[in-house]
Amino acid sequence: MSIPTDHVDAPRTVRRLARGAAVTPVWRNAIGGVTFRTDDGRYIKHGPRNAETSLRAEAGRLSWARRYVEVPSVIETGAGPTNEWLVTRAIEASSAVEPRWIERPATAVGAVGEALRALHDALPVADCPFEWTVPVRIANARRRGIRVPIDLRTPPPVDRFVVCHGDACCPNTLLDDDGHGVAHVDLGALGIADRWADIAVAAISTEWNYGPGWQDALIEAYGVKPDDERLAYYRALWNAT
């Protein structure tokens, strides 16, 4: 996953959805999908159909979460035989991995940790219709032909159930100009799970985005002490599924 640095042609569907607005590619994901920003304040996410989740599923989660936290508002979503798309209203904030934040890792990492805790505290478990527990994730992997190792099929005891982001990597937190986390994006897997399922991924993603040495800072900003057992388990599950 990265910010595109090469030329990216906007697919015909993206040009149609842009309705004459200029489009700029701003993000490429691991399965070949690209997100474009229009010059009239929208984002168009377009990519191949994905067996793990879908943009239609993300649209439903965004609409639910928006009642409680700052996430993009959905304009429209759709799909064709091989591709799907999601159009949202832009939020005036920047990804925690944009160049100016890469140059200020302490600010960015602290903001991501604090914003993740705020997300977990704000989203009501009792009202959430979505699930991201270990059995659900293992079943999803099985449907995609992935055999999860036996030692990952029994998780550690739950510390605290929250509504997890589902992809809490640092790029998916948006920061304001002062370096405070103000919004979240890419919520296609949002659902109830142990909070360490998110914390583990957010912490390890600091290494991918800012280099080694920032994991403990993120966990401290979240407001807990490192839990080595749960961190190791949920990182392994992330990699396995």
Side-chain angles (χ1 to χ4, degrees):
M1 300 180 290
S2 62
I3 299 171
T5 57
D6 55 340
H7 176 73
V8 178
D9 288 321
R12 178 182 300 177
T13 299
V14 171
R15 297 196 302 271
R16 175 179 62 80
L17 293 167
R19 297 182 176 87
V23 296
T24 302
V26 295
W27 191 253
R28 179 187 283 119
N29 66 26
I31 62 170
V34 178
T35 299
F36 297 83
R37 178 159 184 160
T38 69
D39 64 357
D40 62 358
R42 292 173 292 147
Y43 281 96
I44 303 172
K45 184 184 290 189
H46 179 274
R49 286 180 175 269
N50 179 10
E52 184 174 5
T53 184
S54 71
L55 295 182
R56 181 178 180 182
E58 181 173 0
R61 285 163 168 78
L62 287 171
S63 296
W64 177 82
R66 189 167 170 76
R67 292 184 282 168
Y68 309 101
V69 295
E70 185 68 14
V71 299
S73 59
V74 176
I75 299 173
E76 62 179 294
T77 186
T82 59
N83 292 286
E84 56 181 347
W85 55 88
L86 171 65
V87 185
T88 59
R89 189 73 58 194
I91 295 173
E92 292 307 314
S94 59
S95 169
V97 300
E98 287 197 1
R100 61 170 165 166
W101 302 122
I102 295 295
E103 295 173 0
R104 298 171 58 191
T107 297
V109 169
V112 172
E114 291 173 359
L116 184 61
R117 179 59 180 265
L119 179 80
H120 288 170
D121 288 347
L123 295 176
V125 172
D127 190 43
C128 181
F130 312 110
E131 190 174 334
W132 196 53
T133 58
V134 172
V136 166
R137 294 172 67 180
I138 290 176
N140 181 295
R142 186 181 302 115
R143 289 193 297 271
R144 290 179 282 127
I146 298 172
R147 185 177 183 276
V148 175
I150 292 175
D151 62 338
L152 294 179
R153 297 179 192 176
T154 303
V158 172
D159 171 41
R160 175 187 165 196
F161 276 123
V162 300
V163 179
C164 279
H165 181 292
D167 187 1
C169 299
C170 295
N172 292 334
T173 298
L174 303 186
L175 278 54
D176 65 16
D177 287 340
D178 294 324
H180 300 128
V182 293
H184 301 271
V185 297
D186 286 354
L187 299 173
L190 175 144
I192 297 168
D194 189 345
R195 61 182 176 176
W196 287 94
D198 264 354
I199 297 170
V201 173
I204 191 63
S205 78
T206 62
E207 184 169 334
W208 306 334
N209 293 289
Y210 309 107
W214 293 104
Q215 296 188 42
D216 287 351
L218 184 138
I219 295 169
E220 181 180 359
Y222 181 93
V224 293
K225 294 181 179 179
D227 184 320
D228 292 340
E229 179 186 12
R230 290 184 174 91
L231 286 169
Y233 173 81
Y234 282 107
R235 287 169 185 166
L237 183 66
W238 176 266
N239 290 329
T241 57

